[in-house]
Amino acid sequence: DGTGAGAQRTFAAAGTYTVRLQVTDDDGDSDVASRQVVVSPAPPNQAPSASFSVAPAAPVAGQQVSFADTSSDPDGTIAARAWDLDNDGAFDDGTGADAQRTFAAAGTYTVRLQVTDDDGDSDVASRQVVVSPAPVNQAPSASFSQTPAAPVAGQQVSFADTSSDPAGTIAARAWDLDNDG
């Protein structure tokens, strides 16, 4: 099975194998060495451990939620991923390491990730995502200042908007300076 100073073989199955070496010198004399090689069974594959993170941790309705695979495999690599983002039981909502979904309404949703390792074993991680109602818009508060504080006839008066919106920004202003409603 070979003629060099070294040889190699991969034993496909566990068992005891006899390996022999015959050497011959330059005068034609030869000798044989023999050794029993005991090959142990290969350790069984360890399944991967599926897991993923959710961001933001406390989403609100209408907000995009991101999911990131954090799975591991103690004796290999993650070869495939499949997401179930709509809780229909089918892992058909994405195959990447990351996935996103926007939940339209408040509620509790189940998201699952199935990972498969390079030996074909798989695991599933499942998490409940609690989606809160979208915040209710708060009306703006209209206010303005005046200079001078006590004007006289014929004097120009300046007005400055000091309004605020606790849930956003002021998008439009309309003044009524001539008291016509």
Side-chain angles (χ1 to χ4, degrees):
D1 295 321
T3 59
Q8 296 175 344
R9 178 175 178 194
T10 301
F11 298 96
T16 302
Y17 299 88
T18 301
V19 176
R20 295 181 304 165
L21 170 64
Q22 178 180 352
V23 294
T24 305
D25 68 13
D26 57 356
D27 286 328
D29 291 329
S30 62
D31 190 29
V32 175
S34 178
R35 175 175 298 176
Q36 297 290 317
V37 177
V38 179
V39 177
S40 300
N45 180 51
Q46 293 181 340
S49 177
S51 64
F52 60 92
S53 63
V54 179
V60 297
Q63 182 178 30
Q64 180 173 294
V65 181
S66 296
F67 305 96
D69 178 16
T70 57
S71 304
S72 61
D73 184 15
D75 63 351
T77 59
I78 302 297
R81 296 165 182 87
W83 294 92
D84 177 11
L85 301 175
D86 56 10
N87 197 32
D88 65 356
F91 291 96
D92 59 357
D93 299 320
T95 58
D98 299 312
Q100 294 82 32
R101 179 171 178 201
T102 300
F103 299 95
T108 300
Y109 299 88
T110 300
V111 173
R112 299 183 312 146
L113 169 64
Q114 180 180 52
V115 294
T116 304
D117 70 10
D118 53 345
D119 285 321
D121 284 341
S122 62
D123 188 34
V124 174
S126 178
R127 292 191 60 178
Q128 299 290 312
V129 178
V130 179
V131 178
S132 300
V136 177
N137 185 41
Q138 296 176 10
S141 175
S143 64
F144 61 92
S145 63
Q146 154 191 337
T147 305
V152 294
Q155 185 180 18
Q156 181 174 332
V157 181
S158 297
F159 304 96
D161 179 13
T162 58
S163 303
S164 63
D165 184 357
T169 59
I170 302 297
R173 293 167 183 83
W175 294 89
D176 177 10
L177 301 176
D178 60 6
N179 197 28
D180 67 358

